[in-house]
Amino acid sequence: MTAISRCFETLKRNQECALIPFITAGDPDLETTAKALQILDRSGADIIELGVPYSDPLADGPVIQAAATRALERGTTLDRVLEMLQATTPSLKAPIILFTYYNPILHRGIEKFLQQIKAAGVAGLVVPDLPLEEAGGLLQPASELGIDLTLLVAPTSSAQRIEAIARASQGFIYLVSVTGVTGMRSQMESRVSDLLTQIRSVTDKPIGVGFGISDIEQARQVQEWGADAAIVGSAIVKRLADGTPEEGLSAIAQFCQNLKTAIKTAS
C-alpha cells in the first residue's frame, strides 16, 4: 500500500475528510517553500500538493500563474525543487504530491524523472495536461516505484470516461469542480454533489475535490457532499504571497488549521 493510500485508509477509519493544501514551489523562494511544507504538515494538512513552476501553466488560474512566474524569475528549477524536497520530506508526516505538466517529464525522460522524484520523497503525481489515453506510459512505471499517478475527472467527462478514469487513477480520483482553470470561486457548483454520487457508483477509491475551494464554508460543503478530500490551492497561494514571508507563513498556518477543523467536525 502506498503512502497516499495508507493516509486515506487511516482517515476513513476515523471518518475524516482529508485536507490537501497546494503551494507553488519557489514562491517567494525555496527556503520559504520548505518552511511552508513543514508548517502545513503541523497545521492539519493530511497530504500536500506542491506545484512545480512552469512557463505555460494551462490549467492554472491567475493566482497560481503569477506565483509560478515569480518563482521562475527567481531561478526556481525542477532540480532545485527536488533538492529542497530531499532535505525536507524526511521531517514530514504528510505525503507529498507533485503537480507538474507533462512536457518537463518528457524532456527529462519518464524513468529518470520518476526515479528522481522518488529519491526526493515524493509519494504522488498529478499531471493536469496528461489525458487518460496517453497516461499508460507513466502509470505503470510510476506504480512500480510506489508513486501514485492521480488522474482528473472534469465536469464535462462522460459516464464512460469517468468509469475508465476511476479504474486507472492511483491513490485517489481528482474531481475538478469547475470547467476552466484553478482559482477562487464565490460558491461551489451544486453539480459537484451529483458528480461525486456518479463517481462513487463506479469505484470505492477516495475522491478529492479541487479547483475552486477558497474558504472554510466551501471546504465544509464538499465534505458534506461526500468528498474524501478537499483540495485548496489559490486561497493558500495568495495568503502565502501577501506581505512578508513570515506573515504569509503565519497566515497559511491559521487558514490550514481552520480548514481542517471545519471538515473534521462537519456532520
Side-chain angles (χ1 to χ4, degrees):
M1 185 178 289
T2 64
I4 292 170
S5 295
R6 284 195 301 271
C7 179
F8 276 111
E9 281 292 321
T10 300
L11 291 166
K12 183 178 181 180
R13 285 196 300 270
N14 296 331
Q15 297 184 319
E16 285 187 36
C17 179
L19 174 62
I20 308 180
F22 170 101
I23 59 173
T24 301
D27 184 46
D29 52 57
L30 285 172
E31 181 181 357
T32 303
T33 300
K35 292 178 181 177
L37 293 174
Q38 294 165 336
I39 284 171
L40 292 171
D41 187 54
R42 295 195 302 264
S43 301
D46 298 293
I47 298 167
I48 303 172
E49 192 175 6
L50 181 66
V52 178
Y54 182 57
S55 58
D56 192 21
L58 299 177
D60 293 318
V63 171
I64 296 177
Q65 281 193 25
T69 298
R70 291 191 297 267
L72 291 171
E73 288 174 347
R74 291 165 185 163
T76 303
T77 64
L78 177 58
D79 287 329
R80 292 186 63 203
V81 171
L82 295 180
E83 182 180 352
M84 179 275 297
L85 281 173
Q86 194 161 22
T88 307
T89 52
S91 66
L92 304 177
K93 292 182 295 182
I96 297 295
I97 294 175
L98 208 63
F99 180 104
T100 185
Y101 290 85
Y102 197 42
N103 190 55
I105 299 175
L106 285 178
H107 179 74
R108 185 157 301 221
I110 289 174
E111 294 289 346
K112 182 178 180 180
F113 173 83
L114 290 171
Q115 289 168 0
Q116 288 180 330
I117 68 170
K118 178 68 174 181
V122 172
L125 191 58
V126 172
V127 186
D129 59 343
L130 178 65
L132 173 65
E133 292 76 12
E134 298 177 22
L138 190 56
L139 277 163
Q140 182 174 344
S143 179
E144 290 171 356
L145 287 172
I147 297 170
D148 286 325
L149 176 61
T150 295
L151 303 180
L152 285 73
V153 168
T156 54
S157 297
S158 66
Q160 183 179 10
R161 188 170 184 81
I162 286 173
E163 187 170 358
I165 292 170
R167 281 197 305 269
S169 190
Q170 300 167 342
F172 67 102
I173 296 150
Y174 194 132
L175 172 58
V176 176
S177 69
V178 295
T179 303
V181 297
T182 62
M184 297 177 285
R185 305 301 199 278
S186 60
Q187 62 184 21
M188 296 302 299
E189 296 193 22
S190 59
R191 63 178 170 173
V192 172
S193 177
D194 296 332
L195 286 166
L196 282 164
T197 300
Q198 183 178 358
I199 298 169
R200 191 74 68 200
S201 71
V202 297
T203 185
D204 60 358
K205 292 178 183 177
I207 306 167
V209 176
F211 284 48
I213 299 175
S214 60
D215 59 32
I216 291 166
E217 291 305 316
Q218 291 170 354
R220 183 183 286 119
Q221 181 69 81
V222 299
Q223 190 267 357
E224 291 175 348
W225 281 337
D228 299 291
I231 305 165
V232 185
S234 295
I236 291 179
V237 172
K238 185 177 186 303
R239 282 170 170 79
L240 184 57
D242 286 346
T244 66
E246 291 73 20
E247 290 170 338
L249 291 169
S250 177
I252 66 168
Q254 187 62 59
F255 186 49
C256 188
Q257 290 168 12
N258 292 343
L259 285 167
K260 183 58 182 180
T261 298
I263 63 174
K264 184 175 182 178
T265 59
S267 58

